Amino acid sequence: MRPVDLGWIRVFVEVAAVGSLSAAARRLSLTQPAVSYQMRRAETELGTPLLRRVHRGTELTEAGRRLAEILAPAVAQVDTLARDLRAAPAPRVLRLHTDFAFSALWLIPRMHRFRARHPDLELQVIATQHTALRELGPGDTAVVFGARSQIEGPAELLLRECVVPVCTPAFAEAQGSALDRAPLIHLDNSGAAESWFTWARYLAETGRARPAAPDRGLHFNTYSLVIEATLAGQGVALGWRGLIDTMLSRKMLVTAGPPLTNPEQGYFLVQPGPVTPAASNLRDFLLEESASPDVAGLAG
């Protein structure tokens, strides 16, 4: 048996309530012929008359009365639910723009704490290789890597740049005294000028000479891949403190050289404004997390 077409239900319930096709049409902002058509559809669907004409209106047949007893409460419940849903506050959406490394290695492990503190806020993370600050909208937040002098407008330091060579414990044990000659894992810089520590700069500033033989390392254009290769035991990478501290504390990685800090550069929090109350909540959370004990020492 085919299912009954229910598109006529509200019209029928209205006619049953007011006892008039014309009155129902006025209340539903329909024409009287449109209401008559819907009633004919209902009677065709059910195969029996639902209304009978009386002086100045209509009245329900026995079948119509039984149907109205079922449908009137159901339509009223739907209307009540619709009012409740429309009155409920829409979730406040926060947009956080940042790079792949920060979102994957620093933000995601902490997001559950933000959601527990602000269950009414919906956080949308937009990860790109380079965030265009001029394209941020009202209420947007960005966490960008670079030097403070490169950022226009207000910016707050979250993590100062501090790098340290890292590898897996198994890789360090296998290399032993030959660790200084181990393959290096590089994060390639697409810009003309170096915007972060490279292996060449790190080795030069720490005075750690390398053999003249060609480097047998790997090159990646995203830091997440650098870390994946390091965790796979493919070589030694520069670990950005703050991004890899959890891996160090869990002994997934170990240090393989001294740290090097750039006090003028790091991850900065930017909110171009106007800053909404929800965006202020996000700002407070990010600053608190960057200063919390489990990330102590990130600033070098």
Side-chain angles (χ1 to χ4, degrees):
M1 180 180 295
R2 66 180 177 84
V4 176
D5 183 348
L6 302 179
W8 46 265
I9 286 179
R10 181 174 293 279
V11 175
F12 170 76
V13 169
E14 199 65 42
V15 172
V18 299
S20 166
L21 297 179
S22 298
R26 288 193 297 271
R27 295 181 62 166
L28 294 171
S29 298
L30 298 173
T31 64
Q32 195 271 349
V35 172
S36 297
Y37 169 73
Q38 293 294 345
M39 290 302 92
R40 290 195 299 272
R41 282 185 60 199
E43 292 177 335
T44 299
E45 287 291 333
L46 297 175
T48 187
L50 300 175
L51 303 172
R52 65 171 64 93
R53 294 280 183 173
V54 297
H55 181 62
R56 293 184 178 180
T58 61
E59 67 179 17
L60 297 174
T61 64
E62 177 59 22
R65 182 190 63 78
R66 292 170 60 191
L67 183 62
E69 290 177 350
I70 296 172
L71 294 183
V75 170
Q77 291 175 12
V78 171
D79 288 341
T80 299
L81 176 61
R83 285 193 297 270
D84 292 344
L85 293 176
R86 290 166 181 166
R92 293 180 289 169
V93 179
L94 283 169
R95 289 182 296 273
L96 174 59
H97 302 255
T98 189
D99 60 33
F100 298 110
F102 186 86
S103 58
L105 300 176
W106 192 92
L107 182 62
I108 288 178
R110 295 164 168 82
M111 284 181 62
H112 66 284
R113 293 201 281 269
F114 179 79
R115 296 173 63 188
R117 186 184 304 181
H118 301 288
D120 59 324
L121 298 181
E122 182 175 316
L123 183 60
Q124 180 184 15
V125 179
I126 304 169
T128 57
Q129 194 75 348
H130 301 286
T131 299
L133 295 179
R134 294 183 179 180
E135 297 178 5
L136 298 185
D140 283 1
T141 299
V143 175
V144 295
F145 183 87
R148 177 64 185 90
S149 59
Q150 300 171 333
I151 302 173
E152 296 182 5
E156 298 176 274
L157 181 65
L158 285 181
L159 304 174
R160 184 173 293 115
E161 185 180 27
C162 177
V163 298
V164 62
V166 294
C167 61
T168 63
F171 186 88
E173 182 177 358
Q175 291 289 319
S177 60
L179 190 58
D180 283 345
R181 296 186 296 275
L184 301 180
I185 302 177
H186 301 265
L187 174 61
D188 288 339
N189 192 332
S190 59
E194 294 181 358
S195 61
W196 54 70
F197 278 119
T198 63
W199 269 116
R201 181 179 170 191
Y202 174 85
L203 294 171
E205 294 195 19
T206 58
R208 293 168 64 86
R210 295 273 295 179
D215 179 19
R216 297 175 289 119
L218 298 171
H219 293 254
F220 297 97
N221 68 337
T222 62
Y223 192 62
S224 297
L225 293 178
V226 168
I227 294 302
E228 288 295 328
T230 309
L231 291 171
Q234 300 297 316
V236 182
L238 289 178
W240 266 257
R241 297 298 305 268
L243 302 185
I244 51 91
D245 281 22
T246 298
M247 300 174 200
L248 290 174
S249 65
R250 295 177 180 176
K251 306 302 182 183
M252 299 167 63
L253 297 174
V254 295
T255 60
L260 185 61
T261 300
N262 181 353
E264 304 301 324
Q265 190 158 281
Y267 276 103
F268 287 87
L269 169 64
V270 180
Q271 291 182 320
V275 179
T276 64
S280 293
N281 290 334
L282 178 58
R283 169 193 173 275
D284 293 343
F285 172 79
L286 294 174
L287 291 173
E288 290 172 13
E289 287 292 320
S290 68
S292 63
D294 61 334
V295 290
L298 301 188

